[in-house]
Each structure stands twice: as C-alpha cells, then as structure tokens.
Amino acid sequence: MEIMDEFSTQLKLEGRDNETLIDYRLTLVDILAHLCEIYRSSMNR
C-alpha cells in the first residue's frame, strides 16, 4: 500500500487525477488474483 500511496503522490505532482490510480489498482488486484490462482493450482498437484 505504501507503493500505491507514493504513486498517488507522484500522479498528483504531475497533475493527473486519481482515475489513473484506480486503473493501476485494478490491474494490480488482477495480477495478485492471477498469482494466487497459480499458487493454489500448484499446491493441488
């Protein structure tokens, strides 16, 4: 979460809105879910 806070601060300094940050958060959640699914499927073998 610290990384996302730093990224949010950087976006504000660049004059961008938080909608860009929301897109990145959704992508990050999707990546984490995918990695968890891979881990879970590897444990079943």
Side-chain angles (χ1 to χ4, degrees):
M1 292 310 289
E2 290 178 24
I3 294 171
M4 294 306 290
D5 291 338
E6 290 175 17
F7 192 58
S8 175
T9 303
Q10 183 64 34
L11 286 174
K12 288 177 186 176
L13 290 174
E14 292 177 2
R16 299 185 186 187
D17 58 358
N18 278 338
E19 287 188 28
T20 305
L21 183 61
I22 291 170
D23 290 341
Y24 282 109
R25 283 183 178 164
L26 289 174
T27 303
L28 184 60
V29 168
D30 189 41
I31 291 168
L32 287 173
H34 181 69
L35 291 174
C36 288
E37 184 63 27
I38 291 171
Y39 177 75
R40 187 179 67 86
S41 66
S42 71
M43 296 301 288
N44 290 336
R45 293 183 186 166

